[in-house]
Amino acid sequence: MRTIIKNIKELCQVEEAPRQKVCGSEMAAMQTIKDAYLIIEDDKILDFGGMSALKEQTFDHEVNAEGRMVFPSFCDSHTHLVYAGSREVEYIDKIRGLSYEEIARRGGGILNSAKRVQDASEEELYDDAMMRLQQMIGYGSGAVEIKSGYGMTVEAEMKMLRVIRRLRETSPLTIRATLLGAHGVPMEYRGRQDAFVDLVVREMIPQAAAEGLADFVDVFCDEGFFTVGDTERMLEAGAKYGLRAKIHANELACSGGIQVAVKYDALSCDHLEYTGEAEIECLKGSNTMPTVLPGAAFFLNMRHAPVRQMIDAGLPVAMASDCNPGSSPSPNMQLILSMACVNYRMLPEEAFNATTINSAYAMGVSDQLGSIARGKRANFYITKPISTYEYMPYAYGENKVDVAFLNGRVC
Ligand code: NIG
Ligand code: FE
């Protein structure tokens, strides 16, 4: 089936020669075509170009996008989308002055969500997550990485991963699954963290791999959570089972997380509020995508990762929502675009690159997604009538997406 979207005011993030990722000063450029058409065949992008070059041909469907723009869907490469309940009580604690670490030490935070996930049925977790996925589609996302990590027991972690598998089978979004066995240390393992790492290494990773439930392995490598030594053990175990690393690093301190990510050839290292020159140097020339999560820094009112220095040093940068009940309860990637520009002083073009092609790389899908390129999956959205593409980050808080296409179909 062939569909044409015609009279597109501006077709954005177009690639004639698809790239895996965009680095340094190249991030400030985004190719667009004004007064464009986009042709899709079944679930793939077949062709695109200027309306004046469109050859006479017939289509099964025609969409007139006059006055509206088309963008490739956002790729949200870091989320904790499967969770039960919400945590606004801790939100108030934070307003009253408690830190993220203090809340965690009292058994709140991640442990609070773990208790609720352990008590929830697979069905409940699936229904809630599916609703969030629908919201994400409405805000323009087309791919999402989802982590476990609120299970904390072998059984509950596998339950979360099975929910993610079911979401993957039933949602039109492209989904990747990450085992985050080491997200926090359960109360019963306090004082013997090694034994919990043993559990992750000897049971969680082998079981997730045996059932084909995970694409990646993650560790919260940070002060007060897991050490570099713990992380190395878990990444080695993951590698043995073919699970590439994507890790939480340097959110709370210069934890060595970035160095360990690069050492193990992690696909991404995420958060990065505490990134200095040594970390930037270490990331240069690596395959690891530095990924910043502006929603978490905003919500926890934290310092900002030094994105300008990273880009100026020639690094690529990706951005994702980190959607989760504790530090970033929003699935809206359009807000991430706005935060990228306002809080990190990124140009709109840099923000689009960070949330499309580079975040596609950070979840291992940039050969299929993250730009408008021939042969790529037809995941894109048509905006409401807007003046310029810069209006996307500028008009924060309003939903600029009119129609989302995933796999070539309206969703
Ligand atoms: O990415 N930093 C660690 N993990 C999550 C927060 C999870 C939570 O607070 O529930 C994050 O921000
Ligand atoms: Fe996270």
Side-chain angles (χ1 to χ4, degrees):
M1 190 169 73
R2 272 191 193 190
T3 302
I4 182 165
I5 324 288
K6 59 181 194 181
N7 302 322
I8 302 167
K9 182 170 179 175
E10 196 159 359
L11 178 62
C12 298
Q13 186 66 314
V14 167
E15 285 191 310
E16 286 293 342
R19 298 159 295 176
Q20 287 293 303
K21 59 182 174 185
V22 184
C23 303
S25 57
E26 280 181 29
M27 284 188 72
M30 177 172 75
Q31 295 305 313
T32 73
I33 303 173
K34 289 192 169 144
D35 191 22
Y37 68 85
L38 173 66
I39 299 172
I40 55 183
E41 185 165 56
D42 302 323
D43 60 349
K44 297 274 178 348
I45 294 170
L46 184 69
D47 200 11
F48 54 81
M51 282 302 288
S52 57
L54 180 61
K55 299 200 179 74
E56 191 64 34
Q57 53 193 301
T58 55
F59 297 98
D60 302 296
H61 287 293
E62 282 195 15
V63 177
N64 187 353
E66 210 168 327
R68 295 172 301 147
M69 299 197 180
V70 169
F71 289 85
S73 304
F74 295 111
C75 294
D76 195 347
S77 63
H78 180 138
T79 81
H80 307 251
L81 200 84
V82 174
Y83 60 83
S86 52
R87 304 213 313 251
E88 57 272 33
V89 173
E90 292 170 12
Y91 173 65
I92 306 303
D93 287 342
K94 274 177 223 138
I95 293 170
R96 291 192 196 280
L98 253 66
S99 72
Y100 187 74
E101 293 98 315
E102 282 163 338
I103 293 171
R105 268 200 299 275
R106 293 197 324 189
I110 294 165
L111 296 184
N112 179 356
S113 285
K115 169 99 189 60
R116 298 186 196 207
V117 164
Q118 287 162 7
D119 293 345
S121 70
E122 229 169 280
E123 204 57 36
E124 286 163 343
L125 292 173
Y126 171 84
D127 288 346
D128 287 0
M130 196 49 142
M131 185 200 67
R132 291 179 202 119
L133 287 179
Q134 285 308 121
Q135 283 181 328
M136 283 187 157
I137 294 171
Y139 286 125
S141 287
V144 55
E145 180 258 15
I146 311 177
K147 300 174 194 297
S148 66
Y150 293 128
M152 304 230 161
T153 64
V154 178
E155 194 194 349
E157 281 293 296
M158 297 309 123
K159 176 168 73 177
M160 288 189 76
L161 289 174
R162 280 196 299 273
V163 169
I164 301 171
R165 176 169 65 190
R166 207 173 135 205
L167 294 168
R168 191 171 177 157
E169 286 164 0
T170 52
S171 162
L173 284 149
T174 298
I175 294 178
R176 292 291 177 269
T178 300
L179 169 66
L180 173 54
H183 197 192
V185 183
M187 282 297 184
E188 59 276 25
Y189 283 91
R190 291 272 158 102
R192 45 188 201 103
Q193 186 155 323
D194 271 358
F196 185 66
V197 175
D198 285 345
L199 185 76
V200 175
V201 166
R202 296 191 189 139
E203 296 190 42
M204 287 187 195
I205 291 174
Q207 204 164 314
E211 291 183 43
L213 290 171
D215 303 292
F216 306 110
V217 63
D218 194 344
V219 174
F220 188 5
C221 177
D222 225 319
E223 197 169 270
F225 289 82
F226 294 89
T227 65
V228 168
D230 296 335
T231 306
E232 293 200 320
R233 287 186 59 205
M234 292 184 270
L235 299 194
E236 264 162 36
K240 216 168 85 191
Y241 287 93
L243 303 181
R244 193 146 176 215
K246 267 176 72 63
I247 77 167
H248 283 73
N250 297 44
E251 177 184 8
L252 307 171
C254 272
S255 59
I258 293 176
Q259 284 84 348
V260 77
V262 170
K263 180 173 170 192
Y264 285 87
D265 195 34
L267 186 55
S268 74
C269 56
D270 304 18
H271 278 292
L272 315 184
E273 280 74 13
Y274 289 80
T275 301
E277 276 173 26
E279 283 76 15
I280 289 178
E281 223 23 67
C282 172
L283 282 161
K284 279 189 195 166
S286 78
N287 298 315
T288 303
M289 176 63 71
T291 301
V292 173
L293 309 171
F298 162 75
F299 196 75
L300 300 179
N301 203 11
M302 287 191 300
R303 65 196 273 165
H304 295 127
V307 166
R308 279 262 57 93
Q309 284 96 307
M310 293 182 196
I311 295 177
D312 293 347
L315 294 179
V317 170
M319 285 184 162
S321 75
D322 194 18
C323 181
N324 77 75
S327 66
S328 189
S330 169
N332 184 347
M333 285 292 281
Q334 293 176 54
L335 270 180
I336 300 304
L337 266 189
S338 301
M339 290 178 194
C341 297
V342 173
N343 293 338
Y344 297 83
R345 307 191 72 76
M346 291 171 86
L347 296 168
E349 295 82 358
E350 291 174 324
F352 280 114
N353 280 312
T355 52
T356 58
I357 188 71
N358 282 356
S359 50
Y361 177 95
M363 57 182 289
V365 297
S366 63
D367 55 339
Q368 312 163 40
L369 294 163
S371 66
I372 301 291
R374 294 178 186 87
K376 278 198 174 181
R377 189 168 289 278
N379 284 15
F380 59 89
Y381 58 86
I382 305 176
T383 66
K384 293 171 182 162
I386 57 173
S387 46
T388 60
Y389 66 70
E390 290 91 342
Y391 186 86
M392 289 291 290
Y394 161 83
Y396 81 94
E398 82 185 58
N399 188 358
K400 281 82 61 184
V401 172
D402 185 17
V403 185
F405 277 75
L406 296 181
N407 313 307
R409 290 166 183 258
V410 174
C411 282

